[in-house]
Amino acid sequence: HGCKFELDYSKVYWNSRLQTEHARIVSTLDRRKDVVCDLMCGIGPFAIPAARNGCRVYANDLNPESYKWLRNNVKLNKVEDKVSCFNEDARAFLRRLTRDLLDKKQPLFTVVTMNLPATAIEFLDAFIGIYPSHFKQNDMPRIHVYCFSRGDTLEDMTNAAMKRIEGVIRAKVDRNAHDLNVHDVRNVAPKKNMLCVSFNLPRDVGCAQSSEADAKTTTDQDASKKRSTRDGEEDECEKTAIAGPGPKRKKSEP
């Protein structure tokens, strides 16, 4: 999609095998109405193409080095007017951003990408109760959450991922809903695949009682601080094999 990326391989994560997946998600965006919240954006492989496609983007990553290169790449691709960059915990950022947009009466994000397959599902509880009770189902965002899932078949992996998601958001996701899509991104190990589960946030989750949501958020805050939000983080053995220490390099993504 014509974007250029610079990064330091020794300090941030990059996987060129995900280029097709980045393009797949960006192709689903509507530049006329979609606002993107990239919770675990890394150096910007989703955020920057989305901005070049014409969307407003809020891009966040906890890793200071990823944040530094994100800002660099936003300037490199001349999308400063489309992308706002943040360096915060993903859970806290989602709640703060939602409050700020509501208070300022600015357009809310319509699409959320969560590309941290090792732990992204655990952050889905941040959506519980973040919207006012008068919001309708059409006001809920579409979520693309990445995960690793094990099983003998793709169906087994899908069912395992859905159970984890439903356990975190404490609600059922209609497996037959037209908006539910489970995409097999790639195989990472025997009987272990990287999946992207895309679904519209259920209104009952987004508009849950605030007291219930606050209790859940408080319980998970300490655990949240211990997690990294580096883009596409995988098992330690795979990270070492793919990323590895190395010098600063320039990377172009078509």
Side-chain angles (χ1 to χ4, degrees), residues 41-57:
C41 67
I43 66 167
F46 278 116
I48 292 172
R52 284 176 62 97
N53 192 48
C55 295
R56 179 78 174 90
V57 182

Side-chain angles (χ1 to χ4, degrees), residues 28-229:
T28 68
L29 301 175
D30 186 340
R31 69 179 66 189
R32 297 166 299 177
K33 65 178 182 179
D34 277 329
V35 177
V36 179
C37 175
D38 193 352
L39 279 181
M40 301 140 177
C41 67
I43 66 167
F46 278 116
I48 292 172
R52 284 176 62 97
N53 192 48
C55 295
R56 179 78 174 90
V57 182
Y58 298 97
N60 174 74
D61 201 278
L62 181 62
N63 181 353
E65 283 295 322
S66 293
Y67 172 70
K68 181 182 79 173
W69 289 107
L70 168 67
R71 294 186 63 187
N72 176 83
N73 291 325
V74 165
K75 293 180 180 178
L76 182 65
N77 288 277
K78 300 179 173 23
V79 288
E80 299 100 315
D81 61 328
K82 292 289 187 180
V83 182
S84 296
C85 304
F86 302 89
N87 178 211
E88 302 178 27
D89 168 77
R91 182 179 284 106
F93 171 71
L94 178 70
R95 291 188 168 275
R96 184 189 62 74
L97 176 64
T98 305
R99 286 195 305 268
D100 289 350
L101 295 177
L102 286 170
D103 290 344
K104 296 175 182 177
K105 297 182 172 20
Q106 294 182 355
L108 292 171
F109 46 83
T110 59
V111 176
V112 180
T113 55
M114 304 175 68
N115 185 20
L116 183 66
T119 58
I121 285 178
E122 298 173 23
F123 288 83
L124 286 170
D125 65 343
F127 290 92
I128 299 175
I130 63 172
Y131 296 109
S133 60
H134 67 270
F135 270 38
K136 307 300 183 184
Q137 180 60 52
N138 288 341
D139 298 316
M140 299 297 109
R142 182 157 183 77
I143 300 172
H144 303 286
V145 60
Y146 289 83
C147 66
F148 296 126
S149 193
R150 298 180 183 274
D152 292 328
T153 66
L154 181 58
E155 181 179 5
D156 292 340
M157 296 178 192
T158 297
N159 288 334
M162 293 306 301
K163 287 180 180 179
R164 289 168 57 200
I165 289 171
E166 292 173 338
V168 173
I169 66 175
R170 290 177 285 166
K172 291 291 184 182
V173 176
D174 185 357
R175 307 290 178 90
N176 298 314
H178 72 279
D179 58 73
L180 175 64
N181 179 64
V182 180
H183 179 69
D184 184 10
V185 178
R186 67 189 183 92
N187 175 256
V188 297
K191 298 184 179 182
K192 179 182 178 182
N193 285 17
M194 178 179 174
L195 307 179
C196 176
V197 181
S198 303
F199 64 100
N200 294 344
L201 180 70
R203 180 192 174 280
D204 289 347
V205 176
C207 299
Q209 292 290 331
S210 59
S211 59
E212 178 185 4
D214 291 344
K216 179 65 177 175
T217 301
T218 300
T219 300
D220 291 329
Q221 277 180 341
D222 290 340
S224 172
K225 294 178 181 178
K226 299 178 182 178
R227 302 185 183 105
S228 168
T229 55

